[in-house]
């Protein structure tokens, strides 16, 4: 792979990370927005969703012969619903309360979602820093060539 191919590969990897983290933040925001929803269209309380990532593997000319693959970033494999049981909260006067007065609430912990949101935000910032550093390095290289 040429030098330019590798540098574009760095941008592709960072771009895939930015896209994946943006999807993760969108799902977290959806979880927080639905943290109190006791009835959904499918019935029952809202279930927490999680983004599942997978790495992108690239086959290069070299790796084709050596049967090795290079990583090419990350992509969203899918959005999965959590299988955790709903939180049972004692609210006797609630219209969805059972005989004992407990209501099935979503299995979303807002504090856990906030921690995940901070982690996704830090990842997004790291990928942005890679793109910014790449741009600055290219500017310096062009300035050296101009002299």
């Amino acid at each position: 792979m040429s030098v330019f191919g590798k540098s574009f590969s760095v941008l592709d990897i960072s771009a895939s990370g930015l896209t994946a983290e943006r999807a993760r933040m969108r799902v977290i925001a959806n979880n927080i927005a639905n943290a109190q929803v006791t009835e959904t269209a499918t019935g029952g309380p809202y279930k927490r969703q999680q983004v599942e990532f997978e790495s992108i593997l690239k086959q290069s000319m070299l790796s084709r012969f050596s049967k090795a693959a290079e990583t090419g970033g990350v992509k969203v494999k899918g959005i999965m619903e959590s299988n955790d049981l709903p939180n049972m909260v004692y609210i006797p006067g609630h219209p969805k309360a059972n005989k004992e007065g407990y209501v099935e609430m979503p299995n979303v912990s807002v504090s856990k979602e906030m921690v995940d949101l901070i982690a996704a935000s830090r990842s997004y910032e790291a990928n942005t820093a890679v793109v910014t550093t790449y741009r600055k390095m290219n500017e310096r290289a062009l300035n050296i060539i101009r002299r």
Side-chain angles (χ1 to χ4, degrees):
M1 184 180 285
S2 71
V3 173
F4 293 112
K6 285 193 178 212
S7 59
F8 286 124
S9 175
V10 168
L11 288 177
D12 290 342
I13 291 170
S14 291
S16 71
L18 289 169
T19 303
E21 292 303 331
R22 187 180 62 225
R24 183 176 170 197
M25 286 190 262
R26 190 180 64 239
V27 167
I28 291 170
N30 192 39
N31 287 339
I32 292 171
N34 291 302
Q36 298 295 320
V37 174
T38 57
E39 184 71 32
T40 61
T42 59
Y46 175 80
K47 292 182 179 177
R48 181 177 187 263
Q49 295 179 337
Q50 301 170 333
V51 176
E52 188 173 345
F53 297 125
E54 72 178 357
S55 61
I56 300 170
L57 299 178
K58 286 185 177 176
Q59 292 285 337
S60 68
M61 291 297 284
L62 244 179
S63 63
R64 186 178 304 165
F65 298 112
S66 66
K67 300 208 181 230
E70 297 176 3
T71 57
V74 65
K75 71 176 184 178
V76 175
K77 183 177 181 183
I79 298 173
M80 316 297 282
E81 278 190 352
S82 171
N83 290 327
D84 294 341
L85 294 175
N87 296 330
M88 299 301 288
V89 178
Y90 184 69
I91 310 173
H94 195 279
K96 295 287 180 186
N98 62 14
K99 292 177 186 171
E100 292 85 29
Y102 287 95
V103 178
E104 289 185 352
M105 298 296 285
N107 55 1
V108 175
S109 167
V110 174
S111 57
K112 184 178 180 188
E113 298 299 325
M114 291 305 294
V115 170
D116 287 349
L117 187 61
I118 290 169
S121 176
R122 298 284 186 246
S123 251
Y124 193 88
E125 289 171 2
N127 282 303
T128 303
V130 168
V131 173
T132 302
T133 303
Y134 174 78
R135 183 183 57 82
K136 287 180 181 176
M137 287 174 48
N138 280 340
E139 285 176 4
R140 286 184 187 163
L142 288 173
N143 285 336
I144 290 171
I145 292 171
R146 287 183 197 153
R147 292 181 190 172

